[in-house]
Amino acid sequence: RHNQVPQFYGKWPFQRVLLLSEPASSLASLAQFLCSIFALHQITFLLPKSSPLRSAWRLHTSTVAITSLCSFLHHGRETELFELLDSISSVLVVTSSLALLAHRALTGKHGKLIFLATVALFAAHLVSVILLRPDHHHLFQVIMNNSHVIEPN
């Protein structure tokens, strides 16, 4: 099953626990959100302001926090709005990882150009999700294809 996307059909029924639709997923997303907020705090106050990648790490950690929060909301209450937020933010971390990789590879040079390219890539994803409303299978394939760019050989 290498390089194959797992197939899921239908939705499993869940029992609400603590008012959450999917309590395990919700709590895992909440834990990731809290850890990313702690990491953002650490980066902000412990990493020297002169560090060339400080702003890039802060931005990346912020995207992890936003994505985790959207995931928590979606798994907690499955509404159309929270599903849309989860779908939009699902590529956010991968996109910021690509930007961070480019930023590190170029040793902090061309930061504005990398930022603009990243914003353009994410904006294209945002427009496609809002206009086309792709299913989770398609979004999972987008994430997996983008992740292979980051993955070392």
Side-chain angles (χ1 to χ4, degrees):
R1 296 184 24 109
H2 296 286
N3 295 328
Q4 290 182 341
V5 177
Q7 300 295 310
F8 300 100
Y9 300 99
K11 175 133 176 66
W12 298 326
F14 287 100
Q15 180 73 28
R16 284 191 182 274
V17 176
L18 301 172
L19 303 175
L20 302 173
S21 298
E22 299 177 35
S25 296
S26 297
L27 294 176
S29 296
L30 182 61
Q32 184 176 13
F33 172 74
L34 295 174
C35 288
S36 60
I37 293 297
F38 177 74
L40 184 59
H41 179 268
Q42 296 292 88
I43 290 169
T44 301
F45 293 106
L46 296 180
L47 198 61
K49 290 184 180 180
S50 60
S51 176
L53 294 176
R54 183 176 186 262
S55 60
W57 280 113
R58 287 182 64 197
L59 183 61
H60 177 70
T61 308
S62 298
T63 64
V64 173
I66 290 167
T67 302
S68 301
L69 182 61
C70 290
S71 179
F72 170 73
L73 293 172
H74 172 63
H75 291 296
R77 291 282 181 195
E78 294 178 347
T79 65
E80 280 190 42
L81 174 64
F82 292 154
E83 183 174 4
L84 180 63
L85 287 173
D86 189 48
S87 297
I88 290 169
S89 70
S90 63
V91 173
L92 189 57
V93 173
V94 175
T95 306
S96 71
S97 295
L98 285 170
L100 188 57
L101 175 68
H103 206 359
R104 288 187 66 189
L106 297 172
T107 60
K109 298 175 187 171
H110 310 292
K112 290 180 183 177
L113 181 62
I114 293 169
F115 180 74
L116 288 175
T118 304
V119 168
L121 179 64
F122 184 70
H125 171 69
L126 178 73
V127 168
S128 71
V129 167
I130 290 173
L131 295 180
L132 303 176
R133 296 289 178 117
D135 60 3
H136 288 287
H137 172 75
H138 172 77
L139 291 171
F140 186 72
Q141 283 183 323
V142 169
I143 291 169
M144 292 307 294
N145 288 336
N146 285 339
S147 297
H148 287 299
V149 173
I150 298 171
E151 186 177 285
N153 291 332

